[in-house]
Structures are given as C-alpha cells and as structure tokens.
Amino acid sequence: MEDRSLSREPSPGFSAAACAGSNIAFVKYWGVRKEPPGAGMPLNPSISMTLREAVTTTRVTFRPDSLPERDTLVLNERPGPPEALARVTRVLDEVRRRASLRAPARVMSSNNFPTSTGVASSASGFAALALAAAAAAGLPCAPQDLVDLALMGSGSACRSLYGGYVLWDASFGQEPEANPVRQIAAEDDWPLVDLVAVVSREAKKVPSSQGHLLAWTSPFLEARLSQARTAARIVEKAILDRDFETLCQAMEAEALSMHAVMMTSKPALLYWLPETVAVMQKVRSLREQGGVPCAFTIDAGPNVHVIALPEAAPEVRREIEALPGVEEVLFCTTGGGPRLLEADGPCD
Amino acid sequence: MEDRSLSREPSPGFSAAACAGSNIAFVKYWGVRKEPPGAGMPLNPSISMTLREAVTTTRVTFRPDSLPERDTLVLNERPGPPEALARVTRVLDEVRRRASLRAPARVMSSNNFPTSTGVASSASGFAALALAAAAAAGLPCAPQDLVDLALMGSGSACRSLYGGYVLWDASFGQEPEANPVRQIAAEDDWPLVDLVAVVSREAKKVPSSQGHLLAWTSPFLEARLSQARTAARIVEKAILDRDFETLCQAMEAEALSMHAVMMTSKPALLYWLPETVAVMQKVRSLREQGGVPCAFTIDAGPNVHVIALPEAAPEVRREIEALPGVEEVLFCTTGGGPRLLEADGPCD
C-alpha cells in the first residue's frame, strides 16, 4: 500500500492544479453530530472506493498583487453558485490562516462527469481543492495534512484524499492527533467496477446536509449506527480478503439500512423512484438467480451504483442499460488518490 | 357502536353459511412471538378497517352420518390446496372439541374479489369460517366467542370479526379473560375508501408466515415495536376524532416503518416493485402538492392500498389508474362485521 499519489513537491508559485476522483461509499454515513453546531461530524464510520473515471480538476491561484477582493469560483466554465463559493472560501480561509497569506484566490474547477448523475462532485471537488490550495500556498500536501481542509468543504471529500479503498472513522475524530482517514487497500490490490445507473438528473428535493439532521427523527437511528459500525468491520475485512460475496451482502444491507432510516424520518425521505427499485430488483436477481457477481448501493438520491467484478461488468451493464427508465450507465473503476498536475489537464 | 352483526341465532342444523369482509391494516403487525412455538401472536397492536366490497362467503356442513373421513374444502369452486385445508381443519377441530362433535365437515368458500391482488382473503375467509362453523355446531357466535377460532386460521382474521375500525392488541392476549380485539368505531361513523392499486398478481416469494419470523433478524425490530405501539395510540385517536390528516401521516409512517424492518432483515425482503414506488410517490404528491386527502399503506407485498376520503376517491382513482403498470384499481369502502346468511349468497 505504498502511497503513489502526491509524489510531486507542492508548488511555491501561488498557483497549483490538482485532480481527484470521486468515491462511492460501501458503508455510508447518515446523520451528523449536533455538537459542535456546523461541525457535521458523522455518527458512524464509512468506507468507500475512489473512482478513477469520475474526476474533478481544480486550479487555485492566489493573487497577492490584486486588490483585497473576494475569492472567485468558476465551476464547469461558469460562475459557481454562491453556496459553493461560500464552502470554497471556508477552505481557502483555513489555507490562508495556515500559510499567513491574505490574498484572495481564483478557483477554476471542472468535472469530467455530468452533474446530478449520482456521482458526488463535492467529494472529488473538495479533495482537489484542498490539494491545489495547499500546494499553491506552499503548505504540506500529504493526504493526512489535507483531511481537515477537505472536511471543511464536504465530509465525503476526505475519503477522496486516498486511492483504492478508504475508511473514515469519525469516532477517531475525537482525538485531534489521530488520523481519522486511512487507506484499507490500494486501487491495484482489488480492481472493482462501479456502474452508475442514472435514472434521474433532477437535483434532490432535500439536500444531504438537511437530511443528515433529519436522521435524528428516525426511531431507527440508534440501531442503524450500531449496525453500520458492524458493517464497517465486515466490509473492511471483505476488502482485505477480496471476498466479493461478503462485500455484496454487507453493502446491500448497509444501503437498505440507511434508506430505512431516511424513509422513517419525519418528514419521510423517499429518495427512490420506480426505476431505482427496478435496478435493485434486477441486480438481486442477476446475483441470486444468475450467479452474476454484482451488488447495489444507493446514496441519498434515486440513482443506483452497481458494484461488480470486472469480468461481470459487460453483462451487468447490458442488463441494466436494457431497463426502461435507465437513461445512462456510467462506467468507473477503482482509482488512485489525488495528484498535483504540471499543467491543467485530466487526471490520467 | 351498537353491534348490528350476527343478529341471527346460530343454526342448530349442522350447516350454516356466513360472510365476512377482508380488512386493511392502518397499523400493521410484523413479527410474531417465538414462544409458544406456532402460536404466532403478534409483537405489536394493529388497527384495521373492515372492507365492505371484498368479502368471503363460506358454508360449513358437519356430516354426522358420513364415514369418519377427513374434512373437505372447496375454495372458489376448486379443491382447496392442502395448506389451506390444514388450517381449516385446525379451526374445525377446535369447534368439534367445544361442541363435542366428531363429524367431518364440508367447507365451501368463495371470494368475490380476485386472489393475489393485495386483499387478504385469509382475513375474510377465516372470519367467515369461524362464524359459519360455530353456528353450524350450535356454539356461541358473538364476535368475542370467535376470536380464538379465527386466530387459529389467520391473525388478521380476528380483526374481520367486527365491522368498521378494529383494534387487535396482542399484549392483551396475555390475560385469557381479556378480549384482545375490539371495535374502535363502527363503519357508519366514518366512511373511508380503500383504492387498491394492483401492480402484480404474482404470489409473493416469501410468505408472511415466514416473514414474521425473519422480523427478528432486523436490527430495527425493537425500535419498530415501540414506534408501532405509539402509532396505534395515534391512529386510534385519529379515528375517534375523524382526523384524516393525522391518520394519513401516521399510516404512511407506519407502513414505511414496517417495510424498513422487512428490507433490513436477513435475507432482506424487498416486496416493492417499481410500480409500488410510482403509486407511493403519486399519492404523496397528490396530498402534499395537490391537497388531495389520501395516503398509502402497503402490506407484505407490492400492491398499494390508497386510503381516501370518499369525496376525493374519484380523482385519486383516476390518477392512480393512469400510472403505467397499475393493472387494476379495486374500490372498497368501510364495511360491517360478518353475518350469518339464510342462504348462500353475497354479503350485501
């Protein structure tokens, strides 16, 4: 598990570009701590796979000579929305504090995957931002140096600071010294495929940040947290053992358990669409009747991630694409950690 | 709440016919006690509405002169399956014991609604059987005399012994004297409509009897039982207050909570089909965006019961029928308790 990312030295030139892959969680977190307010620390550990094909590329340029104006954000070649800029500035403020910089920054960021397809652009986006900003400011750039920065933008972004399979154990967060994020296995140790069945591109009505607080209104939250902690141990071991069958069972149970909490909160969050269930039922039948190595997982939205062994991916993709209402199937494999770029460009 | 059912005297002639309506539970039970084995007493109270239009008519004829052969069962004009006959004989054995009879019986039963449409034929069937068999054997025939008999066939059958809205509080079952089943309000007190959206006629893969035992494998069972007890109090009060809005909220939360237990059991029970979710989402949007008084509830299967105020029923029916994959919408209203029939025939 040699760390092959971030092999280049941070740029000293007030400008740096970095790219990072999104990730899909096999064990998800749902529900964040109420105290301290706004901290948003998750109530249970999560485990994800970093995605190779779904990446964000971000350039950060601090402008010491410019007037003390605000940071600017260009997202996918358009001005970024105010909420996104506010989160970006939160990260940059901390970088400026650590580097004793006062300059505002220009941030240009673009995803190579379409938005609202169930792939978390905040995960790849804030991982790339943390690395590019730290490098541009001449700060240390090892993944463990970036965890706090990435977390200021998005919880799941801290998992995108490593390649392969990554554990984020929030309970470690209590001790400031301990690194709450670590790699379980590298991307080459166990290549898997994530086929994202896109059934809707509509933005969800209740954003995750709001949903995380609603989690407390479900009568199942407490039981779910205990179940998720067990699931994290099982999934970590399954990854270390390359035990896909165990991973499948644990991953599906995990996703269903999270959605059970969502649909029993007040108000009930029903993220599923008819097509969501169609994909779930197809995946279960492919595996249970057809012996095809695949399993589903679902984030806080209607799109379904189908995790498969590489040799099964073509068949799974064919079957999923044939379902009515599946608009598109995105193909991703296990990817590495974020990288500093010599020049702007795609990650690979 | 005058009891207008069972006004006729039990027949002394070794033969009687009765009809009973099925019911739809607003607060369901899921999970049965493990001890004593086979008793199948539910872990939480349930509340249902008896259905007027979905009825079973059953004639029981004891044949003292015939050879001591086995009971026979004709179900919808065909020989009944062995599992059904076994349950029928269990009820008849208890009737024979109480009446000191030894004669085998011929049971002829028919439903006026199609099977596998999400309407429980066991509820109406065993309520009608209990009444017809008791009457034919000259036993007492008040609803409270029939609870034990109906329960030997099917749990939900005991709720079909009363019309209107019925509470079955299993925790009362501990004291043999207490009647665990009672009417909350009569059918005329609050007429509601149940529109059953039939999206599949396939028999479910995992029968309820098996599912009830799987409930223990869900990490959410304990929290669910406590939630269901609260829901029963809320729903009982909503029925007494004719508070449809509160009923809607509690009923949907209740159904989602039961299905959350099902989908987190091991193995996971996923009773929903794509069309199930389509109906759920449509009902929620009719109510929340359109102000249409309706709410869904779902038994252990894919079909959706949409409960509505009578004035909203035509609109709800039109909207639900228009959804792709909805094969049929059955129309039911609040019905009365079982009745002894002079001659075989429909209940109304």
Side-chain angles (χ1 to χ4, degrees):
Chain A
M1 286 197 288
E2 177 210 354
D3 190 349
R4 279 151 299 186
S5 59
L6 317 185
S7 46
R8 236 168 263 124
E9 286 300 301
S11 150
F14 296 119
S15 180
C19 69
S22 183
N23 66 69
I24 173 66
F26 297 166
V27 178
K28 302 170 193 300
Y29 70 92
W30 191 247
V32 292
R33 285 187 214 155
K34 289 171 179 170
E35 297 296 334
M41 286 303 280
L43 300 171
N44 66 276
S46 57
I47 295 179
S48 64
M49 171 174 110
T50 301
L51 302 179
R52 182 181 302 279
E53 287 79 5
V55 299
T56 301
T57 304
T58 300
R59 173 168 288 278
V60 175
T61 306
F62 289 102
R63 299 184 297 165
D65 303 329
S66 84
L67 293 167
E69 58 197 306
R70 299 289 307 263
D71 301 318
T72 58
L73 171 65
V74 175
L75 200 55
N76 297 322
E77 300 177 0
R78 295 168 138 188
E83 318 84 74
L85 178 58
R87 290 159 81 186
V88 164
T89 289
R90 208 155 63 201
V91 176
L92 293 173
D93 280 346
E94 175 63 14
V95 169
R96 281 186 280 256
R97 194 190 64 78
R98 294 185 189 180
S100 303
L101 260 176
R102 298 187 63 188
R106 187 178 61 219
V107 176
M108 300 192 62
S109 189
S110 61
N111 304 322
N112 76 338
F113 54 95
T115 53
S116 296
T117 48
V119 174
S121 57
S122 57
S124 50
F126 284 101
L129 175 73
L131 175 53
L139 291 172
C141 279
Q144 61 270 25
D145 300 317
L146 304 174
V147 168
D148 289 352
L149 291 175
L151 277 178
M152 289 181 171
S154 160
S156 55
C158 74
R159 295 190 310 241
S160 275
L161 293 174
Y162 295 81
Y165 303 90
V166 185
L167 169 75
W168 178 24
D169 193 342
S171 62
F172 279 45
Q174 309 279 31
E175 310 154 32
E177 277 91 295
N179 182 358
V181 189
R182 64 176 168 85
Q183 193 184 53
I184 294 171
E187 58 273 26
D188 297 337
D189 291 337
W190 199 24
L192 292 179
V193 171
D194 175 14
L195 298 157
V196 190
V198 180
V199 302
S200 168
R201 296 174 191 283
E202 267 185 57
K204 48 197 174 193
K205 283 181 214 153
V206 179
S208 297
S209 52
Q210 217 175 309
H212 279 299
L213 294 169
L214 281 181
W216 291 92
T217 66
S218 166
F220 297 158
L221 181 66
E222 204 178 327
R224 144 83 183 153
L225 294 177
S226 146
Q227 173 273 336
R229 282 188 278 267
T230 307
R233 285 199 299 274
I234 293 170
V235 165
E236 178 173 14
K237 185 169 187 313
I239 289 170
L240 290 170
D241 295 348
R242 321 282 182 267
D243 177 353
F244 193 69
E245 181 55 34
T246 299
L247 179 66
C248 287
Q249 299 292 344
M251 175 166 51
E252 286 192 1
E254 226 299 295
L256 289 169
S257 148
M258 181 180 76
H259 281 268
V261 169
M262 291 165 166
M263 65 179 64
T264 54
S265 70
K266 286 172 192 61
L269 297 174
L270 277 181
Y271 283 118
W272 297 355
L273 293 177
E275 296 78 13
T276 310
V277 174
V279 177
M280 292 162 70
Q281 297 282 20
K282 170 58 80 178
V283 167
R284 270 170 65 110
S285 119
L286 279 172
R287 184 174 75 248
E288 290 171 6
Q289 271 92 63
V292 181
C294 62
F296 63 75
T297 185
I298 310 170
D299 281 349
N303 298 313
V304 184
H305 292 252
V306 186
I307 309 299
L309 287 180
E311 58 268 30
E315 179 182 357
V316 174
R317 182 175 199 160
R318 242 186 346 262
E319 294 278 351
I320 300 300
E321 271 177 342
L323 293 173
V326 173
E327 297 174 14
E328 186 181 358
V329 175
L330 305 175
F331 179 95
C332 293
T333 55
T334 323
R339 292 198 296 118
L340 275 173
L341 302 173
E342 208 82 54
D344 293 356
C347 237
D348 279 306
Chain B
M1 287 198 288
E2 177 208 357
D3 189 350
R4 280 151 302 186
S5 60
L6 317 184
S7 47
R8 237 167 260 124
E9 286 299 302
S11 147
F14 295 120
S15 181
C19 69
S22 183
N23 66 69
I24 174 67
F26 296 168
V27 178
K28 303 171 193 298
Y29 70 92
W30 191 247
V32 292
R33 286 186 214 158
K34 290 171 178 169
E35 298 294 334
M41 287 305 276
L43 300 171
N44 66 277
S46 58
I47 294 179
S48 64
M49 171 174 109
T50 301
L51 302 179
R52 182 181 302 279
E53 287 79 4
V55 299
T56 301
T57 305
T58 300
R59 172 168 288 279
V60 175
T61 307
F62 289 102
R63 299 185 295 166
D65 304 330
S66 83
L67 292 168
E69 60 197 302
R70 300 288 307 263
D71 301 318
T72 59
L73 171 65
V74 174
L75 200 55
N76 296 323
E77 301 178 0
R78 294 168 139 188
E83 319 83 73
L85 178 58
R87 290 160 81 186
V88 164
T89 288
R90 208 154 64 201
V91 176
L92 293 173
D93 280 346
E94 176 62 14
V95 169
R96 281 186 282 255
R97 195 189 64 75
R98 294 184 189 181
S100 303
L101 259 176
R102 299 188 62 187
R106 187 177 60 219
V107 176
M108 299 191 62
S109 188
S110 60
N111 304 322
N112 77 336
F113 54 94
T115 53
S116 297
T117 49
V119 175
S121 57
S122 57
S124 49
F126 284 101
L129 176 73
L131 175 53
L139 293 173
C141 278
Q144 61 269 26
D145 301 318
L146 304 175
V147 168
D148 289 351
L149 291 175
L151 277 179
M152 288 179 172
S154 160
S156 56
C158 74
R159 295 189 310 241
S160 276
L161 293 173
Y162 294 82
Y165 302 90
V166 185
L167 169 74
W168 178 23
D169 191 343
S171 62
F172 280 43
Q174 309 279 29
E175 312 154 29
E177 276 94 292
N179 182 358
V181 189
R182 64 177 168 83
Q183 194 184 55
I184 295 171
E187 59 272 25
D188 297 338
D189 291 336
W190 199 26
L192 292 179
V193 171
D194 176 14
L195 298 158
V196 191
V198 181
V199 302
S200 168
R201 297 174 189 283
E202 266 185 57
K204 49 196 173 195
K205 283 182 213 151
V206 179
S208 297
S209 52
Q210 220 175 306
H212 280 300
L213 295 169
L214 281 181
W216 291 93
T217 66
S218 166
F220 298 157
L221 181 66
E222 204 177 327
R224 145 83 185 153
L225 294 177
S226 147
Q227 174 273 336
R229 282 188 279 268
T230 306
R233 284 198 301 274
I234 294 170
V235 165
E236 178 173 16
K237 184 167 187 315
I239 290 170
L240 291 171
D241 294 347
R242 320 284 182 266
D243 177 352
F244 192 68
E245 181 55 31
T246 299
L247 179 67
C248 286
Q249 299 291 345
M251 175 165 51
E252 286 192 0
E254 225 301 294
L256 289 170
S257 147
M258 181 179 77
H259 281 268
V261 169
M262 291 166 167
M263 64 178 67
T264 53
S265 69
K266 289 177 188 56
L269 298 174
L270 277 182
Y271 283 118
W272 297 354
L273 293 177
E275 296 78 13
T276 310
V277 174
V279 177
M280 292 161 69
Q281 299 282 22
K282 170 58 81 178
V283 167
R284 269 171 66 111
S285 120
L286 280 171
R287 184 174 75 249
E288 290 172 6
Q289 270 91 66
V292 181
C294 62
F296 63 77
T297 185
I298 310 171
D299 282 349
N303 299 311
V304 184
H305 293 252
V306 187
I307 309 299
L309 287 180
E311 58 268 29
E315 179 182 357
V316 174
R317 182 175 200 159
R318 238 182 355 257
E319 294 278 351
I320 300 299
E321 271 177 344
L323 292 173
V326 172
E327 299 175 12
E328 186 181 357
V329 174
L330 305 175
F331 179 94
C332 293
T333 56
T334 322
R339 294 197 295 117
L340 275 173
L341 302 172
E342 208 81 54
D344 292 355
C347 237
D348 279 304

